[in-house]
Amino acid sequence: MDRITLRTVDALMAALHACRGAWDTPDRSGDPVDLHDHALQTAALLRRSHPSDKELQVAGLVHDLGHLLRPGDDAGHARTAADAVRGLLGDRVAHLIRLHVPAKRYLAAVEPSRALSPQSALTLAAQGGPMTPAEVAAYEADPHGAAAVELRQADDAGKVVGLDAGLLEDWRPLLTLVAEQHRRPVPLRAR
């Protein structure tokens, strides 16, 4: 299977615009909002709860692009999205995107009474089910695990039909900023 790579902010914005009218399941039996509204709602929730973490907000905006890029691949959608944006938005954004599915499995293990949307509950089994105690320990050791849980919680909450979460174009400057920061070389420390 060929890997899809989004190399520019314009290409990423075009993919995000294509999410209008695209759904997490090809037959529309999944979440009640399209991928466009879901992306905006998730990112807006993260902007509100983590205003200084621009990479987390961007991860929220693009976390489900894999559903658009490879329709029907629910188990692999996080990997697909992470791989598509890594070169443009950096390793941390890609890692957070990749972790949003394990974060669901983690939460299912540590908070078994936590409610999931009907579609998330359905896909949990296909994604590996609740984590084992060993998987929980490994997840908790990941330095980005806690941020990915925040992404997951916003992901679960960002499925409200009719909620106006703003305009996609308003996110272009932040996407550009994160992409530019990723491209800048890290200065060497003076010796």
Side-chain angles (χ1 to χ4, degrees):
M1 197 178 290
D2 292 335
R3 200 166 101 184
I4 299 166
T5 303
L6 299 169
R7 300 185 193 285
T8 66
V9 170
D10 286 340
L12 178 55
M13 287 297 294
L16 289 166
H17 278 291
C19 287
R20 183 174 291 286
W23 301 82
D24 61 334
T25 56
D27 66 359
R28 291 190 57 179
S29 64
D31 290 327
V33 295
D34 67 12
L35 294 172
H36 172 272
D37 289 350
H38 177 58
L40 289 173
Q41 289 179 30
T42 303
L45 288 165
L46 290 165
R47 177 182 276 168
R48 195 171 309 128
S49 62
H50 299 281
S52 64
D53 193 341
K54 306 305 186 199
E55 290 177 327
L56 179 59
Q57 295 168 32
V58 166
L61 186 67
V62 302
H63 75 282
D64 272 349
L65 268 178
H67 288 300
L68 176 78
L69 300 174
R70 296 221 190 285
D73 183 17
D74 194 69
H77 81 280
R79 183 188 67 253
T80 297
D83 290 348
V85 302
R86 177 176 285 105
L88 179 63
L89 301 175
D91 288 335
R92 181 169 182 255
V93 171
H95 193 63
L96 290 170
I97 293 166
R98 194 179 265 272
L99 280 181
H100 89 274
V101 170
K104 176 169 70 172
R105 296 183 59 230
Y106 170 79
L107 288 169
V110 300
E111 298 177 20
S113 62
R114 186 173 184 276
L116 292 171
S117 73
Q119 182 63 17
S120 287
L122 185 67
T123 58
L124 178 61
Q127 295 165 339
M131 286 184 169
T132 65
E135 289 173 320
V136 166
Y139 184 89
E140 289 174 343
D142 188 303
H144 300 297
V149 166
E150 296 293 327
L151 170 55
R152 180 77 232 173
Q153 291 169 330
D155 180 10
D156 290 339
K159 301 173 182 182
V160 180
V161 175
L163 179 69
D164 181 359
L167 301 173
L168 183 56
E169 281 301 320
D170 292 342
W171 288 92
R172 184 184 291 271
L174 185 59
L175 289 169
T176 301
L177 174 70
V178 170
E180 287 173 355
Q181 288 174 340
H182 170 63
R183 280 195 300 266
R184 280 190 205 127
V186 177
L188 295 174
R189 291 184 178 189
R191 293 184 184 190

